[in-house]
Amino acid sequence: MKKYIIFAFAALTLAVSCVDLDRNPLSEGSSENWFSSEQEVTLALNALYNPSLWRSECTRFFNTDRWTDDWNQRTQLYDWLGGTISSDWSQGATDWGNHYKGVARANTILYSLDKAKDVLSPEKMAQYAGEAKFFRACFYTYLITLFGDVPYYTDYITLEEAYEMGRIDREVVLQGIYQDFDDAIAALPVSYTGTQRVTKGAAMAMKARAALYMNDWATCAAAAKACMDLGVYSLHPDFREFFLSSTKTSPELIFALPASNTLGIHSYDEAATRSFYPRNNGGTSVAQPSWDLFFAFPCTDGKMPWESPLYSHADPFANRDPRLAETIVPFGSEFLDYIYNPRVDATQTLQVSTGQMVKNNDSKAGSKDCSYNGFVLKKFIDEEWIDDRLTDMPMRIMRYGDVLLMYAEAKMEMNQIDQSVFDALNALRARAYKCGINETSKYPAITEANQTKLRRIIRNERRIELAWENRRWFDLIRWRVCEEALTMPCYGVPANATRKANEKTPYWFFPEGFKPRMTESSIIDLSDLQNYPDYYVINVQKAFVPREYLFPIPINERTICPKLTQNPGY
């Protein structure tokens, strides 16, 4: 038997030590005696849905959002955001290893599938091959997005071949990714009866995302349009409801990794869930939506807060895009049985179910560790998070709203701005306002046809529609605006004497004269706060460095395979 291996380079030494690769125990499943039945094939494919292989999406709650201007986490500054990562960075090494593990599993299935040809119809053989190719394409998409040029292989390789393999131009890898997605699109069904697996629409949508990450606008627009034209997806009628744990299926959901508390498959653990809901409910409010994100939501007239006569710092949640109140808990509103009130002088708050005033742990007066910037997350969070501190919300990787945004952006970048672009964008706005797309008197429809101005609108629309869905970081990377977006401070609320004096005015949270603004790159700039030091503190100062547009090639991989070159700056 020829000695073949799969590709996670750091595992090579393990693959050849203490084992005889020619041995094939008949009592254990392996690529030599597996794949002899449909059940074995589907079990192998099921392993590709394992969240550990989808680290960029499922490592932890809101994984990549932690590195963006949408996020505030007390005084925590993550290493990537602090500009301190190097070739021995553990997360980069794990991302590399797990994505290649996914590639290897997909390759094993494709290499071995022929063993089941006597028990599977040609249509089933093609479908299962298409499913494996879908996953391989997804894992390679993450690899070229995170690392740039990477080793690329679609079969088993020998030890000698592995040691000699270097990095392949990511444009070449991208063509292989497109081919895998095309094969999956041709072979996969539009839908299933019963158990849900990846579909034709998922392959179209993920192909569009791969093209989006590489700024391949023509491919992105075509793939997104193909998904739209299937006619099987639509926006969930209620924005908030879509993100709740109870919403397991929806016509908007295109691809997700399932979870089930009943089966002991939780989306995230107790420590993770507690970080995001209020202290009055037993949470810790460790991480919060940023002030930058707050000001990205326009007013109900479609204008940004600093442009609109409808906005006032005295009531900053009023007259705003409805998605704001579904993303960040508005001051004075009921949330999880308590009135949320972060005012420094609010020592007590109302518990709605009892009608009693109780200690307000979500104010500096009640707890010094309450939300550092005064905001708490509302999107995703419901009572399920607080009963046993476990949640089994689907780990949503692709939804139809993102497809509409990808299509609109790609068409705009090609300067093919037509009614289909406006329809895609306005479908999302109309959903937010709970009205029909043609009811333009009920929401601020987008009609801007100037490419430069529409680019700013679309980038901001992606930000507010997809907030805390692991999309913002990838957008900042591909737009090449991290030097601007990720070198500004994260602000918080102080509890000092001057702050307490502010409580007696209508402008207790933001000062009356404060003027945020938006840059040409659609980045929110809050630097005017420097004129009001008594209203805020700087929790952290972000420090992105340009080399981090690509992760470093892990040092262990380069030690084993010297032909792997390093990315610049590491």
Side-chain angles (χ1 to χ4, degrees):
M1 181 184 95
K2 197 169 183 179
K3 297 183 180 180
Y4 285 108
I5 63 163
I6 56 182
F7 193 76
F9 277 131
L12 290 179
T13 53
L14 296 178
V16 296
S17 62
C18 303
V19 296
D20 180 352
L21 294 181
D22 289 320
R23 296 186 64 187
N24 181 23
L26 297 179
S27 62
E28 300 177 11
S30 75
S31 59
E32 295 300 318
N33 60 24
W34 199 251
F35 303 102
S36 59
S37 69
E38 184 169 9
Q39 181 184 27
E40 291 176 353
V41 172
T42 56
L43 285 173
L45 286 166
N46 289 348
L48 296 174
Y49 293 83
N50 189 318
S52 69
L53 303 181
W54 294 84
R55 278 188 52 84
S56 298
E57 307 282 352
C58 305
T59 304
R60 52 191 172 181
F61 266 142
F62 321 117
N63 183 38
T64 58
D65 291 303
R66 299 164 189 255
W67 300 337
T68 75
D69 51 352
D70 285 353
W71 184 275
N72 188 65
Q73 188 171 341
R74 297 185 180 175
T75 57
Q76 170 73 36
L77 186 66
Y78 288 94
D79 40 15
W80 182 89
L81 195 54
T84 61
I85 67 172
S86 61
S87 60
D88 61 355
W89 185 41
S90 61
Q91 179 162 337
T94 305
D95 285 344
W96 174 284
N98 282 22
H99 290 319
Y100 269 119
K101 185 186 295 182
V103 168
R105 288 181 180 179
N107 282 344
T108 299
I109 293 169
L110 291 165
Y111 178 82
S112 307
L113 193 57
D114 196 52
K115 295 183 176 67
K117 64 182 179 181
D118 292 335
V119 295
L120 294 177
S121 68
E123 292 76 18
K124 277 292 185 182
M125 290 280 287
Q127 176 186 319
Y128 291 145
E131 191 169 351
K133 288 183 178 181
F134 167 88
F135 284 102
R136 182 169 69 184
C138 289
F139 298 137
Y140 270 127
T141 296
Y142 288 121
L143 285 164
I144 65 172
T145 301
L146 299 178
F147 296 97
D149 301 342
V150 295
Y152 179 67
Y153 78 116
T154 58
D155 203 344
Y156 278 10
I157 56 175
T158 66
L159 287 170
E160 293 75 16
E161 289 169 338
Y163 289 133
E164 291 298 312
M165 185 172 287
R167 299 168 68 187
I168 305 299
D169 188 312
R170 71 174 176 181
E171 291 297 326
V172 174
V173 181
L174 181 62
Q175 298 310 308
I177 289 169
Y178 287 164
Q179 186 60 61
D180 273 351
F181 278 132
D182 287 344
D183 291 347
I185 291 166
L188 292 174
V190 172
S191 62
Y192 295 85
T193 300
T195 301
Q196 296 301 300
R197 309 184 73 85
V198 294
T199 60
K200 188 183 298 293
M204 292 170 174
M206 293 301 284
K207 181 182 179 182
R209 180 175 288 171
L212 183 83
Y213 287 171
M214 298 297 115
N215 297 325
D216 180 356
W217 306 120
T219 301
C220 178
K225 185 64 162 57
C227 181
M228 294 157 63
D229 288 345
L230 285 175
V232 299
Y233 303 110
S234 60
L235 296 176
H236 198 87
D238 186 284
F239 180 79
R240 171 162 172 76
E241 183 182 77
F242 175 74
F243 298 101
L244 299 182
S245 303
S246 56
T247 305
K248 305 299 185 187
T249 61
S250 167
E252 185 167 356
L253 193 59
I254 296 177
F255 176 48
L257 304 181
S260 169
N261 284 339
T262 302
L263 298 176
I265 305 171
H266 312 296
S267 303
Y268 301 97
D269 60 20
E270 174 186 353
T273 55
R274 291 188 66 213
S275 297
F276 301 103
Y277 57 83
R279 298 186 75 85
N280 282 332
N281 299 100
T284 60
S285 298
V286 165
Q288 314 90 36
S290 67
W291 290 4
D292 309 57
L293 175 60
F294 173 82
F295 281 108
F297 289 86
C299 292
T300 53
D301 58 4
K303 297 179 181 179
M304 300 307 292
W306 53 91
E307 301 170 334
S308 174
L310 301 177
Y311 176 79
S312 171
H313 288 317
D315 193 0
F317 281 90
N319 304 315
R320 302 291 293 279
D321 185 299
R323 287 169 290 188
L324 172 60
E326 303 299 353
T327 303
I328 303 172
V329 178
F331 303 152
S333 69
E334 178 186 352
F335 183 57
L336 301 178
D337 196 32
Y338 293 88
I339 300 299
Y340 181 69
N341 187 355
R343 292 181 70 119
V344 172
D345 61 355
T347 58
Q348 292 188 311
T349 193
L350 176 68
Q351 185 176 18
V352 176
S353 62
T354 65
Q356 301 295 312
M357 298 298 291
V358 297
K359 180 183 177 183
N360 184 12
N361 291 309
D362 290 313
S363 165
K364 294 289 185 182
S367 173
K368 65 180 179 62
D369 293 322
C370 68
S371 169
Y372 273 34
N373 73 355
F375 292 157
V376 292
L377 183 67
K378 184 176 180 180
K379 191 174 182 179
F380 306 101
I381 297 175
D382 61 4
E383 290 77 6
E384 186 197 45
W385 291 50
I386 62 176
D387 55 5
D388 57 5
R389 296 173 179 168
L390 296 172
T391 179
D392 61 356
M393 69 179 191
M395 290 170 268
R396 303 173 184 89
I397 293 172
M398 178 62 72
R399 64 180 176 97
Y400 188 59
D402 196 357
V403 173
L404 295 177
L405 287 165
M406 290 191 291
Y407 174 76
E409 182 177 357
K411 291 277 285 184
M412 175 276 297
E413 290 294 350
M414 294 187 291
N415 208 14
Q416 297 175 4
I417 301 169
D418 56 21
Q419 189 60 43
S420 69
V421 174
F422 300 138
D423 288 346
L425 297 171
N426 288 328
L428 293 164
R429 281 205 172 178
R431 188 262 297 271
Y433 283 80
K434 297 184 178 179
C435 64
I437 191 172
N438 294 322
E439 298 179 278
T440 53
S441 63
K442 296 182 179 180
Y443 75 98
I446 295 171
T447 58
E448 180 59 67
N450 176 275
Q451 185 187 38
T452 299
K453 293 179 180 179
L454 185 58
R455 179 181 292 115
R456 293 180 72 194
I457 293 171
I458 290 175
R459 288 186 177 189
N460 194 64
E461 200 71 15
R462 280 190 65 84
R463 182 177 196 176
I464 63 176
E465 174 70 25
L466 304 174
W468 283 49
E469 294 183 45
N470 283 319
R471 303 276 71 84
R472 177 68 174 172
W473 182 78
F474 290 99
D475 286 347
L476 295 175
I477 290 289
R478 64 187 179 84
W479 291 333
R480 289 297 189 265
V481 295
C482 292
E483 292 95 330
E484 186 176 4
L486 303 181
T487 56
M488 297 182 184
C490 286
Y491 298 101
V493 180
N496 55 27
T498 303
R499 184 80 196 186
K500 291 180 180 179
N502 294 338
E503 298 291 312
K504 304 182 187 304
T505 76
Y507 303 97
W508 62 274
F509 197 79
F510 293 116
E512 182 178 9
F514 165 49
K515 296 179 180 178
R517 69 183 188 92
M518 179 183 285
T519 70
E520 291 300 316
S521 302
S522 299
I523 304 303
I524 300 299
D525 183 350
L526 305 181
S527 58
D528 189 54
L529 279 173
Q530 296 173 19
N531 297 316
Y532 305 92
D534 294 325
Y535 270 82
Y536 75 96
V537 293
I538 294 178
N539 289 341
V540 295
Q541 176 69 55
K542 299 186 287 289
F544 170 82
V545 291
R547 70 169 183 265
E548 291 182 341
Y549 276 117
L550 291 175
F551 287 178
I553 305 301
I555 189 170
N556 287 346
E557 309 298 337
R558 297 190 66 226
T559 299
I560 295 170
C561 298
K563 288 195 175 182
L564 288 177
T565 57
Q566 185 56 278
N567 282 322
Y570 293 105

